[in-house]
Amino acid sequence: MTGTPTGCDAPRPMTMRIGLPRSTPAEDLDGGLARERVLVERARAGDQAAFEVLVREHADRLYAVVLRFVASADEAEEATQEAFVRAWRGIDSFHGRSRFFTWLYRIGVNEAKRRAERRPPPGREVPLEDQPLEDRPDSDTAPHHRAEQAELRDRLEDALSRLSPDHRATVVLRDVEGLSTHEAAEVLGLKERAFKSRLHRARLALREILEA
Amino acid sequence: MGRRPGFHVDHMHSRRRLRAYVDGELSTGRRRRIERHAEECEDCGHLLASLQRLRRSLAGLRAPGGDRMARRVISRLRTDHRERASG
C-alpha cells in the first residue's frame, strides 16, 4: 500500500519546540490543512511535540474506529498505539499527497482488519425491527425510552460486527465516523467509484442482518 | 394495478441511484425523480426509507471524543523513544 510506513529501525531524533499554530474545530478547511502541513513538516524534522499535537487530534477517533474490528478494548488500545508508533517511525514516507489523518487511518484500519481477519466471525444472527433510534415517539429523557435506545444501539453494534471486515470498514468510516466519500475511499485505498459500490453493498448487507 | 408508462425505466433509474440519493449526491431533478418513483413503488419506497433510517442510526453510534487514548499513545511514544535511544 503506497504511503504506508513499513518500519524504521533507527530511532528518530526528537526535538521539543514551542509556538505551534493553534486552531479550533470551526476553523476553515484551508487553515486546518495549512496547520496540519506545518505540524507534519515539523514531525518529519524530528519534532516530537508537533507529532504529539497530531496524536491529540486523532488518537481517540482512531481508537473508536479500531475498536469496531478487534475483540476487546485492550486490543484496540494496543492496535491504536501500534498505528501511531508506525506512523512516527515512518512519517518520512508521508509526502502530503493526502490528508495526514487519512494516511494514519489507513495504517490503523489495516492493522485492525488484519487482527479481525484472524478471528472467526460471530455465528448467530440477531433480529432487529426496522426502527431507527431517532424516530421513537416518546421523550428521549424517559427511562424506558433510554433503555430501548440502548437495546437498539446494542443490536445495531452487534449487526455491524457481523459484516465482513471490508464491508464494516466502509460503513464505519463513512456512516459512523462521518468521513467524506473521498476521505474514506483514500483510507481504504479504493477508487471512489469502487468505494461507493462497496458501501452500497455493505449497507444492504447490514439491513439484511437487521431485518432477519 | 396498471403502471404508468415509463415506470420500469424509473424503477431501474431509482435502484441504481439509491445510494447516491441517500448520500445527498444527486441534483434536485434526479432527487425528485426518485422521490416520485418511491411514492408509487412500494419496494423502492421501503428500501429508500430503510436506508435513510439506517444511515441516521449509524451516525448515532459515533462515540464522543476524548483525550484518554491520546495520553496513552503519547506515553507509549515517549517510552518507545527512550528505549530505542538507550539501545
Side-chain angles (χ1 to χ4, degrees), chain A residues 142-158:
Chain A
H144 72 276
H145 178 60
R146 285 201 300 273
E148 286 178 358
Q149 290 249 350
E151 185 183 347
L152 285 167
R153 182 188 176 95
D154 287 348
R155 287 178 176 177
L156 188 54
E157 290 277 15
D158 192 82

Side-chain angles (χ1 to χ4, degrees), chain A residues 101-175:
Chain A
F101 85 90
T102 64
W103 178 74
L104 173 69
Y105 272 38
R106 188 186 295 193
I107 299 168
V109 168
N110 283 343
E111 173 67 16
K113 283 168 63 181
R114 189 180 62 77
R115 289 169 182 253
E117 283 160 359
R118 289 204 304 248
R119 293 202 324 271
R124 64 190 172 84
E125 289 190 345
V126 177
L128 175 71
E129 67 244 52
D130 186 12
Q131 177 79 32
L133 302 183
E134 298 84 358
D135 287 357
R136 293 303 179 92
D138 296 340
S139 161
D140 62 6
T141 59
H144 72 276
H145 178 60
R146 285 201 300 273
E148 286 178 358
Q149 290 249 350
E151 185 183 347
L152 285 167
R153 182 188 176 95
D154 287 348
R155 287 178 176 177
L156 188 54
E157 290 277 15
D158 192 82
L160 198 53
S161 75
R162 291 171 194 284
L163 291 178
S164 70
D166 281 344
H167 277 176
R168 199 182 321 154
T170 61
V171 171
V172 167
L173 292 172
R174 183 72 176 91
D175 293 339

